[in-house]
Amino acid sequence: MINPAHDPQAITRILFQDFPLWMMVVFYISAVAAMAMFVYGCYIQVRKYWRGQPISLKQMQQRIGLMLRDIVSHRTLRRRDTSAGIMHAAIFFCFATLFVGTATITLEYDILKPIAGWTFWYGDFYLWFSLLMDLAGVGVGVGLVYMMYRRKWLALPKLDYHRPDRQTAEPDYDRSWYRLEDWLFLWNLIIIIVTGYVLEASRLVWLQTDHLVWDYRWWSPIGTSVALLMHDFGLSAQGAGELRYYLWWFHGLIAFLFIALLPFTKAKHMFTAIASLSLRNAQPTARLPLTDPDAETIGVRSITDFNWKQLLHTDACTKCGRCHEACPANASGFPLSPRDMVLTLRELSNNTLQGRKIPMVDDLKAVGDGVNQIRSETLWSCRTCSACVEICPVGIEHVPMIVEMRRALVEDGEMDAAVQTALQNVQKKGNSIGENKRKRAAWTKKLDFTIKDARKEAVDLLWFVGDYASFDPRYQKVAQSFARILQASGINFGILYEAEMTAGNDVRRVGEEGLFEHLAETNIAKLAACEFERIVTTDPHSFNTLKNEYPDFGGNYDVIHATQLVEQMLTDGMIPLIRQANRKVTYHDSCHLGRLNKEYEAPRQVLKKIGVEVVEMPRNQDNSFCCGAGGGRIWTPDPLDMDKPAELRMQEAAQIEAIDAFVVNCPKCMNMFEDAVKSTGNDDKLEVIEVIELIASCMQLESSESNETDTTTPTEISEG
Amino acid sequence: MKILVPVKQVAVLDEDFELRDDGKDVDVDFLDYELNEWDDFAWEAALQLQEQHGDVIEIVPMTVGPEEASDSLLKCLGKGGERAIRVWHESLQDSDPAVIARVIAKVAQREQADMVFAGTLASDHGYSQTGVSVAAELNWAKAAVVSKVNISPNASCIQVNRELEGGLEESIEVQCPAVLTIQLGINEPRYASLRGIKQAKAKPIEVLSHTDLGLQDSDVGIAGSRSRVRRMVMPAKGQAELIEGSVVEQAARLADIVKQLRGGV
């Protein structure tokens, strides 16, 4: 590699070669100034976050481990946008390499050499270093060009910053500054890269007669190619030396500018995204934050009511639009985009919390109709489906922020009249439907056996029935089917009868924390008086809340969803199947069983075991598209002139050929899709049916008295 | 300026219910209780005025009823207001609206209230008497079925709109002090969060008896009432019948029905 005639120590790049002293002085002053500005900017940002509420962080080691895993694998960036993910990885890893390279030179030249006289940046090390840096520059360059291509020519809708929560005439409708910022960011980086190569090339042309440089030129393949090109165009060594001065300064100053402004520009996501990923909560939506019930007020009213982690989240957003694209409210034309909400709060915190003093409370209000405020209609559009949280590549947790703001709205009594009615029903009657408490178990009268009263005798399995299974005429059939399955399988099970109250999943997600606490405490007290091994429920909402949220109130149970139970029972051969279903269907993952509790397999396994072939919709599992009923939205009728999320979903299912059913596992999905299948005109093609009902039909449990009007159930198949 | 808002905890019937043995009321086993809807609107009207004008307006909810009726006061206090008044004594049992109005009027005098906002009627008994009777007791001006209120504190007059039949509204000026009975739909009552209601338990509810208000036993209860409930009945359900056949047959059947109903033949 190295010519034996050359001294390896001489094979290096002489820094500041031929620079007069004043230039070096100016350079170091600029460097220190840029770094001082950077440190000051970081201080401003950290102080801004610090103005949020305190939080205690546990299991940081584990969280940082997850962050590192996600950054190294680029998993969160590759999801649902592979090319952007790969290109970002190219930029990220190559940029990091260039940064480490530059830092290595600084380490030697400015620290080790002056202090201890150590040097290592020469010879073989230098040559390999040169090659690596040259190639890293290519990586960054290719990535940046792709990002430009993506913005300019792919014109992805998710990168359009026009807002669904503002009218065109409003001042903060068109966020053109953001587009400008994106382009400045890309151009800034690309200019640094390109000038780097040209600078390298001009040095080579300038020093073409120096064997210590020229003989090793191909260790910088890109720079050398540019150098040869420049040489062909007639650039003389002297001219190149001249050019090098100017480029050197231009390259250096623009890099300093980048560093100095980093804490105030999009570039800060390099730090905030890492921090945000390290602060991720394992169950941001499944287990909503607790509040102090004795506090004077609860929820978020002002920007400073958010905790510092949430303020940092707003700065981590890179406007990538994955949440914007995944949000069912946004897709159906509701005034909510999770991205725009986060960016609105970012603007508000930048405007109010970066100064030396915090302004008056009125200027800090996060919820309102003004510029950089979140409107209540935006907050009420959310279905808490967690699609945004799921897909955010930088770990932003939108749903808890929305619920916290709703808590303040509820405290002030500001909500849709329909939500108010539902909450009043829950207060008075323990169910949101407004039915009489005493009728909670009326659905059991259609069974030809009596379900045990878990309050009076010990059972193995306590079935928490839930509001819709108890009162909704359509879903009562599912409840009856499930009861027959358990009975036929010889399970010792019981229900709470009138003592059950709604678990409170929606109540909590609407933001009525006081009522939720009351429900949790009451149900926990009722459950404490019963003897049982574990709890089952057909309702994924109750399942989630009993499993993940009741422990915070002292209710620790082994909770299982009906499909999980049935899957186990099928595996253990406990369910006497009489026939196979032999159907081809599509299966819809409910948010609460799927995304929130990561149970995608059990329902699919069940369907497979009873002879149902599942043809997946394009959006499935963690990308499932919410029916639109979560977070209390089931209580608020969607306006007639809008596409309902459930209708969009039904249209997606209707694209699949040769299926005859849309299978659900949740009473709210059932409710939404029973309507949507009709309103989209697919009711002659698709039957909306529950996993449980399919099993019951394979056990031939559909007794005639419960289904006198249901002609779709096959009953005449004879078995040996 | 002080606004007194008398509210009632009304009884709500279950879908199936039975009457008491004495036949004078519904068996309590079949009743739920809640804040009277009209009073919810009256309280909201007071709350909105207070929000509009600030602390120059004090609003106080009150009720005449036993301990359990405090729930309705808590619901009010959960939304706003700093204190409430509850008047009760067993001798107040079975009072008619005139007696309740007498009690409310005494409280208004004791509180030196400037206005009384009552609901137009109560959803259980539906007398529509109490509010206007308070005005009579106090000899104050009154406006019933009010659909809009416009008050500037310390003015001698207030402007209100009253709902008339046929969608018509009447805008009138009323001399202060005055009693208004508030109609549904005047506003959108806010939601009282359960946390708000719980925290309202820390606010004082002053409990008074009729004697504290200078009333005698003979002024209240059945003794002081001018009307009393004799019995409650469930009217027999009418039965419709479609009469078919020729004109002659129809006429004959009609004649039979008439005779049957007259109890003759």
Side-chain angles (χ1 to χ4, degrees):
Chain A
M1 272 187 326
I2 295 176
N3 184 341
H6 293 157
D7 173 11
Q9 297 243 17
I11 298 172
T12 185
R13 192 170 90 214
I14 299 167
L15 298 175
F16 309 109
Q17 194 172 357
D18 288 1
F19 268 42
L21 183 65
W22 70 265
M23 273 199 188
M24 290 182 63
V25 173
V26 171
F27 173 81
Y28 276 99
I29 290 173
S30 314
V32 170
M35 279 187 285
M37 184 69 191
F38 171 80
V39 170
Y40 173 72
C42 290
Y43 162 72
I44 296 286
Q45 301 307 318
V46 170
R47 186 179 64 184
K48 177 174 78 182
Y49 310 139
W50 221 248
R51 287 170 170 171
Q53 298 301 307
I55 43 164
S56 64
L57 292 168
K58 293 181 191 106
Q59 298 169 310
M60 272 319 285
Q61 208 173 342
Q62 198 185 345
R63 294 185 199 215
I64 289 171
L66 287 171
M67 176 274 287
L68 289 173
R69 194 197 65 188
D70 281 343
I71 287 190
V72 170
S73 68
H74 257 55
R75 177 188 70 91
T76 61
L77 278 145
R78 286 187 285 117
R79 285 171 85 194
R80 295 182 215 161
D81 200 341
T82 318
S83 25
I86 291 171
M87 289 300 170
H88 188 277
I91 299 174
F92 173 81
F93 288 110
C94 295
F95 189 89
T97 307
L98 291 173
F99 173 77
V100 171
T102 313
T104 307
I105 302 173
T106 311
L107 180 71
E108 193 215 57
Y109 189 82
D110 295 319
I111 299 170
L112 295 179
K113 199 170 153 190
I115 293 173
W118 290 346
T119 58
F120 53 83
W121 195 51
Y122 59 81
D124 287 343
F125 178 81
Y126 167 75
L127 293 178
W128 284 110
F129 178 94
S130 300
L131 181 63
L132 186 66
M133 293 302 126
D134 221 47
L135 296 177
V138 176
V140 177
V142 168
L144 290 171
V145 169
Y146 174 78
M147 293 304 169
M148 289 182 155
Y149 162 75
R150 187 167 173 266
R151 266 163 212 284
K152 180 76 186 169
W153 285 280
L154 291 184
L156 302 171
K158 65 182 171 186
L159 294 179
D160 179 354
Y161 300 145
H162 291 109
R163 300 172 59 177
D165 57 337
R166 291 289 190 271
Q167 301 297 317
T168 36
E170 293 184 57
D172 49 352
Y173 167 68
D174 173 18
R175 285 172 157 161
S176 47
W177 158 245
Y178 282 160
R179 273 196 299 281
L180 184 65
E181 188 193 21
D182 291 348
W183 282 105
L184 284 175
F185 181 55
L186 289 172
W187 276 113
N188 185 302
L189 286 174
I190 213 149
I191 288 171
I192 292 174
I193 296 293
V194 169
T195 53
Y197 280 125
V198 180
L199 177 60
E200 188 179 41
S202 50
R203 173 176 171 268
L204 284 167
V205 176
W206 174 46
L207 299 174
Q208 55 188 276
T209 53
D210 184 344
H211 289 283
L212 292 172
V213 174
W214 191 248
D215 290 5
Y216 301 96
R217 64 190 180 281
W218 287 109
W219 287 94
S220 306
I222 314 296
T224 301
S225 307
V226 178
L228 294 176
L229 209 65
M230 285 159 70
H231 189 257
D232 288 351
F233 274 93
L235 187 69
S236 66
Q238 198 197 352
E242 196 80 0
L243 180 63
R244 170 185 166 264
Y245 269 121
Y246 293 111
L247 274 177
W248 193 97
W249 277 108
F250 182 70
H251 179 79
L253 290 180
I254 203 163
F256 284 157
L257 192 70
F258 178 77
I259 292 168
L261 295 180
L262 195 147
F264 300 100
T265 62
K266 184 174 177 159
K268 76 172 134 189
H269 83 272
M270 294 185 229
F271 299 100
T272 50
I274 289 172
S276 180
L277 283 169
S278 313
L279 296 169
R280 266 177 303 178
N281 189 331
Q283 297 178 301
T285 311
R287 189 174 155 216
L288 290 174
L290 285 167
T291 57
D292 173 9
D294 300 322
E296 201 160 303
T297 61
I298 60 164
V300 165
R301 288 158 206 277
S302 298
I303 188 77
T304 46
D305 290 340
F306 285 108
N307 62 46
W308 62 263
K309 169 182 142 172
Q310 290 166 327
L311 292 180
L312 187 132
H313 275 329
T314 69
D315 261 357
C317 176
T318 58
K319 317 190 273 283
C320 75
R322 284 173 173 82
C323 60
H324 182 82
E325 197 171 55
C327 177
N330 181 44
S332 342
F334 284 82
L336 164 66
S337 155
R339 175 185 62 195
D340 291 327
M341 183 195 81
V342 166
L343 292 175
T344 302
L345 295 172
R346 171 196 287 186
E347 293 301 318
L348 180 62
S349 73
N350 280 348
N351 287 350
T352 53
L353 304 181
Q354 285 192 0
R356 191 189 295 221
K357 280 188 180 154
I358 304 179
M360 304 293 281
V361 180
D362 279 353
D363 295 330
L364 296 172
K365 270 185 76 181
V367 183
D369 291 334
V371 171
N372 296 333
Q373 288 184 324
I374 311 290
R375 298 189 177 165
S376 62
E377 72 237 36
T378 298
L379 297 172
W380 292 121
S381 296
C382 176
R383 287 118 218 278
T384 64
C385 75
S386 210
C388 47
V389 179
E390 176 75 29
I391 196 58
C392 180
V394 297
I396 297 173
E397 293 161 0
H398 316 68
V399 176
M401 295 165 85
I402 292 176
V403 172
E404 287 279 19
M405 287 185 274
R406 283 182 175 181
R407 283 175 180 169
L409 288 177
V410 168
E411 188 138 282
D412 295 341
E414 279 177 47
M415 65 187 77
D416 191 277
V419 176
Q420 199 175 127
T421 307
L423 291 177
Q424 269 158 359
N425 284 337
V426 175
Q427 276 193 20
K428 271 186 262 175
K429 300 175 178 177
N431 68 77
S432 61
I433 296 161
E435 293 281 350
N436 191 315
K437 282 177 200 178
R438 269 169 284 198
K439 295 197 170 161
R440 191 155 197 116
W443 62 274
T444 61
K445 286 178 189 152
K446 285 198 174 164
L447 300 169
D448 44 19
F449 57 91
T450 308
I451 298 180
K452 284 184 183 171
D453 188 337
R455 296 171 296 179
K456 293 176 186 153
E457 51 189 314
V459 290
D460 294 337
L461 189 67
L462 188 139
W463 176 8
F464 195 93
V465 185
D467 281 4
Y468 280 80
S470 301
F471 297 113
D472 180 67
R474 174 66 185 92
Y475 209 78
Q476 279 179 347
K477 289 184 183 176
V478 178
Q480 285 148 4
S481 293
F482 189 55
R484 291 191 189 103
I485 292 172
L486 294 178
Q487 183 77 3
S489 309
I491 305 267
N492 176 19
F493 73 104
I495 60 174
L496 288 172
Y497 283 85
E498 295 80 45
E500 184 186 299
M501 286 170 123
T502 182
N505 178 281
D506 298 289
V507 170
R508 188 169 215 201
R509 274 144 193 80
V510 152
E512 179 33 317
E513 189 67 6
L515 182 54
F516 170 72
E517 283 172 14
H518 168 71
L519 292 169
E521 282 157 11
T522 313
N523 278 325
I524 288 169
K526 295 275 161 57
L527 288 167
C530 302
E531 213 178 303
F532 59 90
E533 299 284 319
R534 57 180 176 174
I535 297 179
V536 71
T537 176
T538 56
D539 173 18
H541 295 255
S542 305
F543 167 72
N544 177 74
T545 288
L546 290 166
K547 182 172 188 267
N548 301 315
E549 298 189 312
Y550 276 27
D552 282 336
F553 298 86
N556 291 290
Y557 316 108
D558 182 2
V559 189
I560 189 169
H561 185 255
T563 52
Q564 295 173 320
L565 176 74
V566 168
E567 201 265 330
Q568 283 173 10
M569 286 162 66
L570 282 168
T571 308
D572 299 345
M574 287 167 70
I575 292 187
L577 289 180
I578 294 175
R579 61 182 196 94
Q580 289 278 297
N582 295 325
R583 294 178 77 163
K584 212 166 158 182
V585 305
T586 194
Y587 169 73
H588 168 80
D589 288 279
S590 63
C591 310
H592 275 75
L593 190 62
R595 249 190 314 267
L596 267 55
N597 288 288
K598 301 280 172 263
E599 183 55 270
Y600 306 114
E601 260 320 290
R604 286 179 172 79
Q605 283 302 320
V606 168
L607 293 173
K608 196 172 162 193
K609 283 177 179 158
I610 57 169
V612 176
E613 188 192 334
V614 175
V615 185
E616 296 288 354
M617 282 178 272
R619 291 179 287 189
N620 58 65
Q621 304 199 32
D622 60 58
N623 193 19
S624 182
F625 189 76
C626 175
C627 72
R633 277 302 301 205
I634 194 157
W635 301 326
T636 326
D638 288 326
L640 291 172
D641 56 342
M642 283 173 135
D643 292 330
K644 295 181 179 124
E647 291 172 344
L648 298 178
R649 183 62 161 168
M650 195 51 78
Q651 282 154 1
E652 184 178 349
Q655 300 291 314
I656 304 174
E657 289 184 10
I659 55 164
D660 65 358
F662 185 97
V663 180
V664 295
N665 67 19
C666 166
K668 295 194 174 86
C669 295
M670 171 71 90
N671 195 302
M672 291 289 116
F673 290 122
E674 280 284 8
D675 281 350
V677 76
K678 295 183 192 92
S679 61
T680 58
N682 286 305
D683 46 339
D684 52 346
K685 184 189 169 199
L686 293 174
E687 178 193 8
V688 178
I689 192 164
E690 239 272 4
V691 177
I692 296 301
E693 292 177 304
L694 284 168
I695 301 163
S697 75
C698 291
M699 296 167 76
Q700 296 199 353
L701 291 173
E702 301 300 319
S703 65
S704 53
E705 70 268 19
S706 74
N707 267 312
E708 53 276 308
T709 55
D710 192 347
T711 52
T712 57
T713 311
T715 48
E716 64 291 331
I717 297 166
S718 61
E719 295 291 326
Chain B
M1 179 174 186
K2 192 185 275 184
I3 304 174
L4 183 70
V5 182
V7 302
K8 182 178 184 186
Q9 174 134 310
V10 292
V12 183
L13 286 180
D14 247 355
E15 280 160 58
D16 310 305
F17 59 86
E18 287 169 21
L19 292 177
R20 227 157 57 184
D21 289 343
D22 68 3
K24 290 187 179 178
D25 208 340
V26 177
D27 189 330
V28 287
D29 283 354
F30 299 91
L31 294 177
D32 274 334
Y33 295 93
E34 63 182 37
L35 173 63
N36 177 35
E37 201 182 355
W38 276 263
D39 300 340
D40 204 11
F41 283 83
W43 181 241
E44 180 67 30
L47 282 167
Q48 289 186 5
L49 282 173
Q50 196 194 35
E51 280 168 354
Q52 205 180 324
H53 298 288
D55 287 341
V56 290
I57 292 185
E58 189 193 351
I59 56 176
V60 182
M62 68 156 292
T63 192
V64 181
E67 177 86 55
E68 301 82 64
S70 296
D71 287 350
S72 286
L73 292 176
L74 287 175
K75 192 176 169 188
C76 293
L77 291 176
K79 303 180 186 189
E82 291 309 315
R83 63 188 188 92
I85 299 163
R86 181 170 67 81
V87 183
W88 191 244
H89 186 269
E90 48 191 46
S91 58
L92 280 157
Q93 196 76 43
D94 297 323
S95 298
D96 77 348
V99 171
I100 303 296
R102 197 170 295 146
V103 174
I104 294 170
K106 288 289 181 194
V107 173
Q109 284 169 340
R110 189 173 187 267
E111 286 289 316
Q112 298 178 312
D114 302 284
M115 300 286 295
V116 173
F117 285 9
T120 294
L121 60 95
S123 59
D124 51 358
H125 288 111
Y127 292 121
S128 298
Q129 289 297 307
T130 314
V132 286
S133 304
V134 171
E137 287 283 340
L138 291 166
N139 201 20
W140 285 7
K142 65 175 184 292
V145 205
V146 168
S147 57
K148 193 177 169 188
V149 184
N150 196 349
I151 291 183
S152 21
N154 305 322
S156 60
C157 260
I158 58 169
Q159 280 90 42
V160 302
N161 280 19
R162 293 184 56 242
E163 197 177 289
L164 305 181
E165 288 298 310
L168 203 61
E169 282 200 4
E170 177 186 62
S171 179
I172 58 171
E173 246 178 30
V174 185
Q175 205 81 88
C176 287
V179 177
L180 307 182
T181 72
I182 304 290
Q183 175 62 320
L184 299 182
I186 185 173
N187 49 41
E188 284 175 32
R190 68 198 67 189
Y191 173 75
S193 76
L194 204 65
R195 218 178 76 88
I197 294 173
K198 273 187 189 164
Q199 288 186 332
K201 286 181 183 164
K203 296 178 181 176
I205 297 180
E206 191 181 357
V207 183
L208 302 171
S209 77
H210 58 298
T211 50
D212 296 327
L213 296 166
L215 293 167
Q216 306 300 314
D217 281 357
S218 57
D219 295 328
V220 299
I222 295 177
S225 294
R226 297 180 192 177
S227 63
R228 64 186 179 90
V229 178
R230 282 180 56 221
R231 63 189 177 111
M232 279 190 187
V233 289
M234 287 293 289
K237 277 184 186 152
Q239 280 182 325
E241 182 188 334
L242 185 66
I243 302 170
E244 284 174 306
S246 68
V247 178
V248 179
E249 282 163 354
Q250 285 184 31
R253 175 70 193 126
L254 194 59
D256 278 349
I257 294 171
V258 173
K259 283 176 194 162
Q260 209 180 330
L261 286 177
R262 285 182 62 200
V265 191

